[in-house]
Amino acid sequence: MPGAPLRVLWLTRAFPEPANSGEFLYSGGLIRSLAKTGAQISVIAHSRANTDPTSLLENNDLNRGIDRDGVKWNLVAPIQGGGRIWSLISQLPSDSRRLAKGGAAQALRRQLRRGAEATWDVAVIDQAANGWAVPMLVAARAKGRIRAIAYLSHNAEAQIRPQIAAAYEGPLPLRQAMRWDAAKYAKLERAICQASDLIGSITAEDASSFRVVFPGKAEAVLPPGWATPPEFQPISGDRPRRVILVGSFEWIAKRMNLERLLAAAEPILRQAGIEIQVAGKADPQFVSRLTHRFPALRFAANVEEVGPFLRKARVGLMPDELGGGFKLKSLDYIFHGIPIASLRPAAAGLPLRSGDHYLAADSFEDLAGQIVGAIDNTGRLNGMAGSAHEICLQHFRWESTGAKLDSALRRVAEFAEADRKARAAEAKGRGTPVSGDKPPLPVTALHRGNPL
Protein backbone atom coordinates (compact mmCIF):
# COMPACT_ATOMS: atom_id res chain seq x y z
CA MET A 1 0.00 0.00 0.00
CA PRO A 2 2.78 2.58 0.65
CA GLY A 3 3.01 4.82 -2.41
CA ALA A 4 -0.12 3.34 -4.01
CA PRO A 5 -3.34 5.38 -4.28
CA LEU A 6 -5.45 5.12 -1.16
CA ARG A 7 -8.69 3.20 -1.80
CA VAL A 8 -11.56 4.68 0.21
CA LEU A 9 -15.20 3.66 0.55
CA TRP A 10 -17.05 6.70 1.88
CA LEU A 11 -20.55 6.89 3.38
CA THR A 12 -22.03 10.36 3.58
CA ARG A 13 -25.54 11.65 4.09
CA ALA A 14 -26.37 13.05 0.65
CA PHE A 15 -24.79 14.42 -2.51
CA PRO A 16 -23.20 17.67 -1.23
CA GLU A 17 -24.18 19.96 -4.10
CA PRO A 18 -25.52 22.55 -3.91
CA ALA A 19 -23.42 23.19 -0.79
CA ASN A 20 -26.13 25.23 0.92
CA SER A 21 -25.54 24.07 4.50
CA GLY A 22 -22.57 23.52 6.79
CA GLU A 23 -22.72 19.73 6.58
CA PHE A 24 -22.59 19.76 2.77
CA LEU A 25 -19.78 22.31 2.71
CA TYR A 26 -17.73 20.19 5.09
CA SER A 27 -18.45 16.73 3.65
CA GLY A 28 -18.02 17.89 0.05
CA GLY A 29 -14.80 19.73 0.91
CA LEU A 30 -13.31 16.70 2.68
CA ILE A 31 -14.16 14.35 -0.18
CA ARG A 32 -12.82 16.63 -2.93
CA SER A 33 -9.67 17.59 -1.03
CA LEU A 34 -8.87 13.93 -0.34
CA ALA A 35 -9.48 13.08 -4.00
CA LYS A 36 -6.91 15.71 -5.00
CA THR A 37 -4.23 13.79 -3.10
CA GLY A 38 -4.74 10.92 -5.57
CA ALA A 39 -7.03 8.81 -3.40
CA GLN A 40 -9.53 6.60 -5.22
CA ILE A 41 -12.86 7.32 -3.53
CA SER A 42 -16.21 5.66 -4.02
CA VAL A 43 -19.02 7.50 -2.20
CA ILE A 44 -22.42 6.10 -1.24
CA ALA A 45 -24.90 8.94 -0.74
CA HIS A 46 -28.54 9.80 -1.13
CA SER A 47 -29.40 11.99 -4.09
CA ARG A 48 -31.15 15.31 -3.46
CA ALA A 49 -34.47 16.53 -4.80
CA ASN A 50 -32.71 19.49 -6.45
CA THR A 51 -29.87 17.44 -7.96
CA ASP A 52 -29.65 17.88 -11.72
CA PRO A 53 -30.76 14.48 -13.07
CA THR A 54 -29.29 15.05 -16.53
CA SER A 55 -25.78 15.56 -15.17
CA LEU A 56 -25.77 13.12 -12.27
CA LEU A 57 -28.59 10.62 -12.04
CA GLU A 58 -29.07 9.54 -15.63
CA ASN A 59 -27.78 5.98 -16.12
CA ASN A 60 -26.64 5.86 -12.50
CA ASP A 61 -25.22 2.37 -11.93
CA LEU A 62 -24.41 1.46 -8.32
CA ASN A 63 -21.78 -1.01 -9.56
CA ARG A 64 -20.02 1.73 -11.52
CA GLY A 65 -20.94 5.07 -10.00
CA ILE A 66 -20.76 8.51 -11.57
CA ASP A 67 -17.40 10.18 -12.05
CA ARG A 68 -17.23 13.76 -10.84
CA ASP A 69 -14.28 15.68 -9.36
CA GLY A 70 -12.25 12.47 -9.49
CA VAL A 71 -14.80 10.71 -7.27
CA LYS A 72 -17.25 7.89 -8.00
CA TRP A 73 -20.66 8.88 -6.65
CA ASN A 74 -23.04 5.98 -6.02
CA LEU A 75 -26.33 7.84 -5.57
CA VAL A 76 -29.43 6.21 -4.15
CA ALA A 77 -32.97 7.56 -3.66
CA PRO A 78 -33.48 10.88 -1.83
CA ILE A 79 -33.88 10.70 1.94
CA GLN A 80 -37.48 10.00 2.85
CA GLY A 81 -39.31 11.41 5.87
CA GLY A 82 -42.14 9.92 7.87
CA GLY A 83 -42.30 6.71 9.86
CA ARG A 84 -42.15 8.42 13.27
CA ILE A 85 -43.75 5.53 15.12
CA TRP A 86 -41.27 3.06 13.64
CA SER A 87 -38.48 5.48 14.47
CA LEU A 88 -39.49 5.51 18.13
CA ILE A 89 -39.25 1.73 18.44
CA SER A 90 -36.07 1.46 16.35
CA GLN A 91 -32.73 1.14 18.12
CA LEU A 92 -31.33 3.70 15.68
CA PRO A 93 -31.86 7.47 15.95
CA SER A 94 -34.43 8.87 13.55
CA ASP A 95 -31.83 10.34 11.14
CA SER A 96 -29.79 7.16 11.04
CA ARG A 97 -32.82 4.96 10.41
CA ARG A 98 -33.85 7.12 7.45
CA LEU A 99 -30.33 7.12 6.00
CA ALA A 100 -30.18 3.33 6.01
CA LYS A 101 -33.20 3.24 3.71
CA GLY A 102 -33.67 4.25 0.07
CA GLY A 103 -31.06 1.83 -1.21
CA ALA A 104 -28.07 2.91 0.91
CA ALA A 105 -27.70 -0.40 2.75
CA GLN A 106 -28.08 -2.32 -0.52
CA ALA A 107 -25.47 -0.11 -2.19
CA LEU A 108 -23.00 -0.70 0.64
CA ARG A 109 -23.61 -4.45 0.55
CA ARG A 110 -23.05 -4.41 -3.20
CA GLN A 111 -19.76 -2.54 -2.88
CA LEU A 112 -18.54 -5.02 -0.27
CA ARG A 113 -19.44 -8.05 -2.43
CA ARG A 114 -17.81 -7.00 -5.67
CA GLY A 115 -14.86 -9.37 -5.43
CA ALA A 116 -11.13 -8.79 -5.20
CA GLU A 117 -11.31 -5.27 -6.59
CA ALA A 118 -13.52 -4.27 -3.66
CA THR A 119 -10.77 -4.49 -1.04
CA TRP A 120 -10.71 -1.04 0.51
CA ASP A 121 -7.93 0.50 2.55
CA VAL A 122 -10.42 2.51 4.64
CA ALA A 123 -14.18 2.78 5.00
CA VAL A 124 -15.24 6.26 6.15
CA ILE A 125 -18.34 6.92 8.24
CA ASP A 126 -19.05 10.60 7.55
CA GLN A 127 -21.01 11.89 10.60
CA ALA A 128 -22.79 9.86 13.24
CA ALA A 129 -26.09 9.42 11.38
CA ASN A 130 -24.32 6.96 9.07
CA GLY A 131 -23.58 4.72 12.04
CA TRP A 132 -26.23 2.31 10.77
CA ALA A 133 -23.42 0.85 8.68
CA VAL A 134 -21.18 -0.17 11.61
CA PRO A 135 -22.21 -3.88 11.78
CA MET A 136 -21.71 -4.31 8.02
CA LEU A 137 -18.32 -2.58 8.07
CA VAL A 138 -17.08 -4.50 11.11
CA ALA A 139 -18.05 -7.77 9.40
CA ALA A 140 -16.32 -6.66 6.19
CA ARG A 141 -13.16 -5.80 8.13
CA ALA A 142 -13.18 -9.27 9.71
CA LYS A 143 -13.37 -10.81 6.23
CA GLY A 144 -10.54 -8.65 4.89
CA ARG A 145 -12.76 -6.56 2.61
CA ILE A 146 -11.61 -3.38 4.33
CA ARG A 147 -8.49 -2.75 6.37
CA ALA A 148 -9.64 0.04 8.66
CA ILE A 149 -12.68 2.11 9.64
CA ALA A 150 -12.57 5.89 10.14
CA TYR A 151 -15.23 8.02 11.78
CA LEU A 152 -15.30 11.68 10.68
CA SER A 153 -17.51 13.49 13.17
CA HIS A 154 -19.30 16.78 12.57
CA ASN A 155 -20.18 17.19 16.25
CA ALA A 156 -19.65 15.43 19.57
CA GLU A 157 -23.19 14.04 19.40
CA ALA A 158 -23.22 12.45 22.85
CA GLN A 159 -22.73 15.92 24.30
CA ILE A 160 -24.89 18.15 22.15
CA ARG A 161 -27.97 16.00 21.47
CA PRO A 162 -28.99 15.74 25.15
CA GLN A 163 -28.39 19.50 25.55
CA ILE A 164 -30.70 20.26 22.62
CA ALA A 165 -33.39 17.90 23.91
CA ALA A 166 -33.21 19.38 27.41
CA ALA A 167 -33.50 22.94 26.07
CA TYR A 168 -36.55 22.23 23.92
CA GLU A 169 -39.73 23.68 25.46
CA GLY A 170 -42.35 22.33 23.06
CA PRO A 171 -45.09 19.74 23.65
CA LEU A 172 -44.30 17.02 26.18
CA PRO A 173 -44.57 14.09 23.72
CA LEU A 174 -42.06 15.73 21.38
CA ARG A 175 -39.74 16.55 24.30
CA GLN A 176 -39.78 12.91 25.34
CA ALA A 177 -39.18 11.74 21.77
CA MET A 178 -36.20 14.10 21.43
CA ARG A 179 -34.67 12.85 24.69
CA TRP A 180 -35.10 9.23 23.59
CA ASP A 181 -33.55 10.05 20.21
CA ALA A 182 -30.65 11.87 21.92
CA ALA A 183 -29.95 8.81 24.07
CA LYS A 184 -29.92 6.63 20.96
CA TYR A 185 -27.53 9.08 19.24
CA ALA A 186 -25.14 8.87 22.20
CA LYS A 187 -25.27 5.06 22.13
CA LEU A 188 -24.71 5.00 18.36
CA GLU A 189 -21.76 7.38 18.54
CA ARG A 190 -20.12 5.20 21.20
CA ALA A 191 -20.55 2.16 18.97
CA ILE A 192 -19.03 4.02 16.00
CA CYS A 193 -16.03 5.19 18.00
CA GLN A 194 -15.44 1.76 19.51
CA ALA A 195 -15.47 0.18 16.05
CA SER A 196 -13.31 2.84 14.39
CA ASP A 197 -9.55 2.88 14.02
CA LEU A 198 -9.51 6.67 13.58
CA ILE A 199 -11.71 9.46 14.96
CA GLY A 200 -11.67 12.69 12.99
CA SER A 201 -12.96 15.94 14.50
CA ILE A 202 -13.66 19.36 13.06
CA THR A 203 -12.25 21.17 16.14
CA ALA A 204 -9.62 20.51 18.80
CA GLU A 205 -12.38 20.87 21.41
CA ASP A 206 -14.34 17.96 19.93
CA ALA A 207 -11.15 15.89 19.62
CA SER A 208 -10.47 16.45 23.30
CA SER A 209 -13.95 15.29 24.30
CA PHE A 210 -13.55 12.08 22.26
CA ARG A 211 -10.10 11.50 23.74
CA VAL A 212 -11.50 11.48 27.28
CA VAL A 213 -13.92 8.67 26.45
CA PHE A 214 -11.74 6.79 23.94
CA PRO A 215 -8.13 7.28 25.09
CA GLY A 216 -5.48 5.89 22.79
CA LYS A 217 -7.59 6.03 19.64
CA ALA A 218 -5.87 7.49 16.60
CA GLU A 219 -7.28 10.94 15.94
CA ALA A 220 -7.10 13.79 13.46
CA VAL A 221 -8.34 17.37 13.73
CA LEU A 222 -9.64 18.31 10.28
CA PRO A 223 -10.63 21.98 9.96
CA PRO A 224 -12.71 23.08 6.97
CA GLY A 225 -11.30 25.10 4.09
CA TRP A 226 -12.38 27.67 1.59
CA ALA A 227 -12.13 27.24 -2.16
CA THR A 228 -11.64 30.74 -3.58
CA PRO A 229 -12.18 33.61 -1.13
CA PRO A 230 -13.55 36.80 -2.73
CA GLU A 231 -11.45 39.93 -2.69
CA PHE A 232 -11.61 41.75 0.64
CA GLN A 233 -13.96 44.75 0.47
CA PRO A 234 -13.81 47.26 3.35
CA ILE A 235 -17.03 48.36 5.03
CA SER A 236 -17.98 51.93 4.15
CA GLY A 237 -20.23 54.34 6.02
CA ASP A 238 -22.95 54.09 3.38
CA ARG A 239 -23.42 50.35 3.91
CA PRO A 240 -26.77 49.62 5.64
CA ARG A 241 -26.73 49.45 9.43
CA ARG A 242 -27.49 45.76 9.26
CA VAL A 243 -26.35 42.52 10.86
CA ILE A 244 -26.75 39.17 9.12
CA LEU A 245 -27.18 35.54 10.08
CA VAL A 246 -26.74 32.89 7.39
CA GLY A 247 -27.43 29.20 7.76
CA SER A 248 -29.78 26.28 7.37
CA PHE A 249 -32.75 26.30 9.73
CA GLU A 250 -34.04 22.81 8.98
CA TRP A 251 -32.50 21.34 12.15
CA ILE A 252 -34.46 22.13 15.31
CA ALA A 253 -31.32 23.28 17.15
CA LYS A 254 -30.75 26.01 14.55
CA ARG A 255 -34.36 27.19 14.79
CA MET A 256 -34.13 27.28 18.57
CA ASN A 257 -30.92 29.33 18.42
CA LEU A 258 -32.52 31.84 16.06
CA GLU A 259 -35.70 32.26 18.11
CA ARG A 260 -33.75 32.73 21.34
CA LEU A 261 -31.53 35.33 19.69
CA LEU A 262 -34.46 37.29 18.29
CA ALA A 263 -36.44 37.22 21.52
CA ALA A 264 -33.53 38.75 23.46
CA ALA A 265 -31.66 40.89 20.92
CA GLU A 266 -34.20 42.07 18.34
CA PRO A 267 -35.80 44.75 20.60
CA ILE A 268 -32.34 46.15 21.46
CA LEU A 269 -31.19 46.26 17.85
CA ARG A 270 -34.52 47.62 16.59
CA GLN A 271 -34.43 50.47 19.13
CA ALA A 272 -30.94 51.35 17.84
CA GLY A 273 -32.19 51.37 14.24
CA ILE A 274 -30.28 48.22 13.26
CA GLU A 275 -31.82 45.71 10.84
CA ILE A 276 -31.45 41.93 11.17
CA GLN A 277 -31.04 40.00 7.92
CA VAL A 278 -31.40 36.20 7.90
CA ALA A 279 -30.53 34.27 4.76
CA GLY A 280 -30.71 30.50 4.39
CA LYS A 281 -32.79 27.35 4.12
CA ALA A 282 -36.03 27.46 6.08
CA ASP A 283 -39.64 26.33 6.02
CA PRO A 284 -41.99 29.09 4.75
CA GLN A 285 -44.28 28.75 7.79
CA PHE A 286 -41.33 29.24 10.13
CA VAL A 287 -40.26 32.33 8.16
CA SER A 288 -43.77 33.80 8.20
CA ARG A 289 -44.14 33.33 11.94
CA LEU A 290 -40.82 35.00 12.73
CA THR A 291 -41.20 37.98 10.41
CA HIS A 292 -44.65 38.66 11.84
CA ARG A 293 -43.33 38.53 15.40
CA PHE A 294 -40.09 40.54 14.95
CA PRO A 295 -40.43 43.83 13.00
CA ALA A 296 -36.68 44.39 12.52
CA LEU A 297 -36.22 41.01 10.84
CA ARG A 298 -35.68 40.56 7.10
CA PHE A 299 -35.74 36.86 6.13
CA ALA A 300 -34.50 35.73 2.69
CA ALA A 301 -35.37 32.03 2.62
CA ASN A 302 -33.88 29.39 0.34
CA VAL A 303 -31.67 31.75 -1.65
CA GLU A 304 -29.13 30.31 -4.09
CA GLU A 305 -26.29 32.65 -3.11
CA VAL A 306 -25.66 34.44 0.19
CA GLY A 307 -22.78 36.61 -1.07
CA PRO A 308 -24.96 39.56 -2.16
CA PHE A 309 -26.58 39.66 1.29
CA LEU A 310 -23.22 39.48 3.08
CA ARG A 311 -21.87 42.42 1.09
CA LYS A 312 -24.75 44.58 2.36
CA ALA A 313 -24.21 43.87 6.08
CA ARG A 314 -21.75 45.21 8.64
CA VAL A 315 -21.62 42.30 11.12
CA GLY A 316 -22.14 38.54 10.88
CA LEU A 317 -23.98 36.78 13.72
CA MET A 318 -23.04 33.47 15.37
CA PRO A 319 -25.67 33.07 18.12
CA ASP A 320 -25.36 29.29 18.53
CA GLU A 321 -26.02 28.25 22.11
CA LEU A 322 -26.98 24.76 20.94
CA GLY A 323 -25.57 22.48 18.29
CA GLY A 324 -21.82 22.34 18.94
CA GLY A 325 -19.15 21.92 16.31
CA PHE A 326 -17.45 24.40 14.04
CA LYS A 327 -19.68 27.05 12.46
CA LEU A 328 -19.06 27.01 8.71
CA LYS A 329 -20.92 30.31 8.41
CA SER A 330 -17.99 31.95 10.21
CA LEU A 331 -15.91 31.49 7.06
CA ASP A 332 -18.71 33.03 4.98
CA TYR A 333 -18.46 36.13 7.13
CA ILE A 334 -14.68 36.26 7.37
CA PHE A 335 -13.96 35.77 3.69
CA HIS A 336 -16.64 38.28 2.68
CA GLY A 337 -14.95 40.88 4.85
CA ILE A 338 -17.40 41.38 7.71
CA PRO A 339 -16.53 40.93 11.39
CA ILE A 340 -18.22 38.30 13.56
CA ALA A 341 -20.35 38.86 16.65
CA SER A 342 -20.49 35.55 18.48
CA LEU A 343 -21.49 33.84 21.68
CA ARG A 344 -18.22 32.48 23.06
CA PRO A 345 -18.98 28.74 22.60
CA ALA A 346 -19.93 29.30 18.96
CA ALA A 347 -16.41 30.51 18.13
CA ALA A 348 -14.83 27.11 18.85
CA GLY A 349 -12.21 26.24 16.26
CA LEU A 350 -11.50 29.80 15.13
CA PRO A 351 -7.82 30.84 15.50
CA LEU A 352 -8.90 34.35 16.54
CA ARG A 353 -8.81 36.48 19.69
CA SER A 354 -12.03 37.92 21.02
CA GLY A 355 -12.01 41.71 21.09
CA ASP A 356 -9.18 41.97 18.57
CA HIS A 357 -10.60 39.86 15.74
CA TYR A 358 -14.30 39.48 16.60
CA LEU A 359 -16.95 40.52 19.11
CA ALA A 360 -17.59 37.90 21.81
CA ALA A 361 -20.35 37.80 24.40
CA ASP A 362 -21.79 35.53 27.07
CA SER A 363 -25.46 36.38 26.44
CA PHE A 364 -27.70 37.54 23.62
CA GLU A 365 -28.32 40.85 25.37
CA ASP A 366 -24.59 41.46 25.75
CA LEU A 367 -24.09 40.50 22.09
CA ALA A 368 -26.71 43.01 20.98
CA GLY A 369 -25.19 45.72 23.17
CA GLN A 370 -21.73 45.19 21.71
CA ILE A 371 -23.14 45.39 18.19
CA VAL A 372 -24.89 48.67 19.00
CA GLY A 373 -21.60 50.07 20.31
CA ALA A 374 -19.56 49.00 17.27
CA ILE A 375 -21.94 49.26 14.29
CA ASP A 376 -21.00 52.84 13.36
CA ASN A 377 -17.26 52.49 14.04
CA THR A 378 -16.25 51.36 10.55
CA GLY A 379 -12.58 51.68 11.45
CA ARG A 380 -12.94 49.09 14.19
CA LEU A 381 -15.15 46.87 12.06
CA ASN A 382 -12.63 46.88 9.21
CA GLY A 383 -9.75 46.30 11.61
CA MET A 384 -11.36 43.17 13.05
CA ALA A 385 -12.52 41.93 9.65
CA GLY A 386 -9.15 42.53 7.96
CA SER A 387 -7.06 40.79 10.62
CA ALA A 388 -9.46 37.82 10.80
CA HIS A 389 -9.39 37.56 7.01
CA GLU A 390 -5.58 37.47 6.91
CA ILE A 391 -5.26 34.87 9.67
CA CYS A 392 -7.94 32.57 8.29
CA LEU A 393 -6.59 32.65 4.73
CA GLN A 394 -3.60 30.71 6.05
CA HIS A 395 -5.46 28.51 8.54
CA PHE A 396 -8.42 27.23 6.52
CA ARG A 397 -7.06 25.57 3.38
CA TRP A 398 -8.66 22.48 1.88
CA GLU A 399 -5.29 21.44 0.42
CA SER A 400 -3.82 21.19 3.92
CA THR A 401 -6.84 19.37 5.33
CA GLY A 402 -6.89 16.91 2.42
CA ALA A 403 -3.19 16.10 2.89
CA LYS A 404 -3.70 15.66 6.63
CA LEU A 405 -6.67 13.35 6.09
CA ASP A 406 -4.74 11.30 3.52
CA SER A 407 -1.84 10.87 5.95
CA ALA A 408 -4.13 9.89 8.83
CA LEU A 409 -6.07 7.34 6.77
CA ARG A 410 -2.89 5.84 5.36
CA ARG A 411 -1.36 5.40 8.79
CA VAL A 412 -4.34 3.60 10.30
CA ALA A 413 -4.71 1.42 7.19
CA GLU A 414 -1.03 0.48 7.27
CA PHE A 415 -1.19 -0.21 10.99
CA ALA A 416 -4.30 -2.36 10.55
CA GLU A 417 -2.63 -4.30 7.73
CA ALA A 418 0.47 -4.88 9.85
CA ASP A 419 -1.79 -6.03 12.67
CA ARG A 420 -3.57 -8.46 10.36
CA LYS A 421 -0.29 -9.94 9.11
CA ALA A 422 1.01 -10.29 12.66
CA ARG A 423 -2.15 -12.15 13.68
CA ALA A 424 -1.91 -14.37 10.61
CA ALA A 425 1.71 -15.22 11.38
CA GLU A 426 0.86 -15.93 15.01
CA ALA A 427 -2.06 -18.14 13.99
CA LYS A 428 0.08 -19.99 11.45
CA GLY A 429 2.66 -20.68 14.12
CA ARG A 430 -0.05 -22.19 16.30
CA GLY A 431 -1.62 -24.01 13.40
CA THR A 432 -4.97 -22.27 13.93
CA PRO A 433 -6.95 -20.01 11.56
CA VAL A 434 -7.44 -16.30 12.20
CA SER A 435 -11.09 -15.76 13.14
CA GLY A 436 -13.38 -12.89 14.02
CA ASP A 437 -12.90 -9.15 14.06
CA LYS A 438 -10.62 -9.03 17.08
CA PRO A 439 -9.64 -5.74 18.69
CA PRO A 440 -6.56 -4.22 17.06
CA LEU A 441 -3.14 -4.37 18.65
CA PRO A 442 -2.30 -1.57 21.12
CA VAL A 443 -1.97 1.70 19.22
CA THR A 444 0.94 3.03 21.28
CA ALA A 445 3.25 2.84 18.26
CA LEU A 446 0.77 4.78 16.14
CA HIS A 447 -0.58 7.40 18.49
CA ARG A 448 -1.03 8.25 22.13
CA GLY A 449 -2.92 11.47 22.77
CA ASN A 450 -1.46 13.51 19.90
CA PRO A 451 -3.44 14.39 16.77
CA LEU A 452 -2.18 12.84 13.55
Side-chain angles (χ1 to χ4, degrees):
M1 187 184 118
L6 191 69
R7 288 178 51 78
V8 180
L9 179 59
W10 191 299
L11 282 84
T12 194
R13 179 187 291 268
F15 184 67
E17 294 179 19
N20 53 6
S21 71
E23 68 166 312
F24 294 136
L25 284 166
Y26 189 57
S27 293
L30 286 177
I31 292 167
R32 286 188 292 269
S33 63
L34 181 62
K36 288 181 179 178
T37 69
Q40 298 176 358
I41 309 174
S42 184
V43 181
I44 295 172
H46 290 267
S47 57
R48 309 225 337 245
N50 52 358
T51 302
D52 179 2
T54 60
S55 64
L56 284 171
L57 298 180
E58 188 175 359
N59 300 319
N60 181 23
D61 181 349
L62 292 177
N63 285 310
R64 176 175 54 83
I66 302 162
D67 290 313
R68 181 160 173 153
D69 299 323
V71 177
K72 285 194 179 297
W73 296 92
N74 304 287
L75 301 181
V76 301
I79 302 168
Q80 300 297 316
R84 292 194 176 189
I85 299 298
W86 290 110
S87 178
L88 288 174
I89 64 177
S90 170
Q91 291 301 305
L92 289 172
S94 176
D95 284 348
S96 188
R97 178 179 174 275
R98 291 188 298 126
L99 289 184
K101 295 181 172 295
Q106 294 91 324
L108 176 58
R109 194 172 294 112
R110 193 172 303 177
Q111 289 289 340
L112 295 173
R113 288 178 176 172
R114 286 176 55 201
E117 76 277 9
T119 300
W120 305 94
D121 295 312
V122 186
V124 170
I125 299 172
D126 180 357
Q127 66 182 288
N130 280 302
W132 59 266
V134 165
M136 295 173 66
L137 295 179
V138 168
R141 182 173 57 188
K143 295 175 182 177
R145 293 293 192 189
I146 56 177
R147 294 188 172 93
I149 299 171
Y151 169 46
L152 304 186
S153 69
H154 289 215
N155 288 300
E157 304 289 354
Q159 288 187 351
I160 68 163
R161 295 280 175 171
Q163 292 173 1
I164 295 167
Y168 182 67
E169 298 176 348
L172 178 61
L174 187 52
R175 292 204 306 270
Q176 292 174 326
M178 288 181 63
R179 289 170 183 171
W180 171 230
D181 205 60
K184 291 193 289 184
Y185 245 117
K187 182 179 179 180
L188 179 62
E189 186 179 63
R190 286 194 295 271
I192 298 170
C193 291
Q194 287 167 351
S196 295
D197 303 281
L198 170 72
I199 300 174
S201 303
I202 195 169
T203 67
E205 290 84 354
D206 281 355
S208 178
S209 69
F210 285 122
R211 194 182 308 134
V212 169
V213 184
F214 303 99
K217 283 280 185 180
E219 64 183 57
V221 178
L222 303 166
W226 192 266
T228 307
E231 184 178 350
F232 183 81
Q233 297 180 5
I235 299 167
S236 63
D238 60 358
R239 188 176 292 197
R241 299 176 77 248
R242 181 181 299 161
V243 297
I244 187 169
L245 173 60
V246 300
S248 174
F249 301 95
E250 296 174 313
W251 187 23
I252 191 169
K254 300 297 184 182
R255 297 195 298 272
M256 290 167 64
N257 284 327
L258 177 55
E259 293 201 64
R260 289 176 175 221
L261 165 74
L262 292 173
E266 191 267 356
I268 299 172
L269 297 177
R270 173 162 43 91
Q271 187 174 9
I274 299 171
E275 296 177 348
I276 304 172
Q277 173 77 70
V278 176
K281 294 163 60 179
D283 179 82
Q285 291 184 343
F286 176 68
V287 174
S288 176
R289 178 165 59 83
L290 289 190
T291 51
H292 178 75
R293 181 180 172 190
F294 300 106
L297 176 63
R298 295 168 175 258
F299 207 130
N302 305 312
V303 296
E304 293 185 4
E305 172 60 46
V306 298
F309 296 94
L310 292 166
R311 286 186 283 270
K312 293 181 180 178
R314 297 193 184 195
V315 176
L317 292 170
M318 295 211 305
D320 302 73
E321 283 185 305
L322 307 168
F326 185 87
K327 309 306 173 196
L328 272 295
K329 58 177 165 277
S330 66
L331 301 188
D332 278 320
Y333 302 148
I334 289 166
F335 291 127
H336 281 87
I338 60 174
I340 292 170
S342 175
L343 292 183
R344 294 186 191 279
L350 287 175
L352 306 176
R353 291 191 307 272
S354 61
D356 293 331
H357 306 136
Y358 69 100
L359 300 174
D362 296 311
S363 69
F364 293 133
E365 292 84 358
D366 181 23
L367 193 68
Q370 291 199 44
I371 291 169
V372 171
I375 195 77
D376 295 316
N377 188 342
T378 56
R380 185 185 181 199
L381 297 179
N382 284 318
M384 288 190 294
S387 56
H389 188 274
E390 183 176 349
I391 292 168
C392 291
L393 275 176
Q394 302 304 316
H395 189 83
F396 297 105
R397 300 173 59 87
W398 278 124
E399 296 86 353
S400 300
T401 297
K404 190 173 185 180
L405 178 56
D406 177 75
S407 176
L409 295 179
R410 281 182 180 278
R411 290 180 67 183
V412 294
E414 289 168 2
F415 189 83
E417 181 65 7
D419 182 12
R420 185 193 65 79
K421 289 180 179 179
R423 291 185 187 280
E426 181 183 356
K428 184 176 181 181
R430 295 196 310 264
T432 58
V434 179
S435 62
D437 188 53
K438 298 179 181 179
L441 293 174
V443 298
T444 308
L446 170 65
H447 160 77
R448 187 173 292 281
N450 295 311
L452 293 175

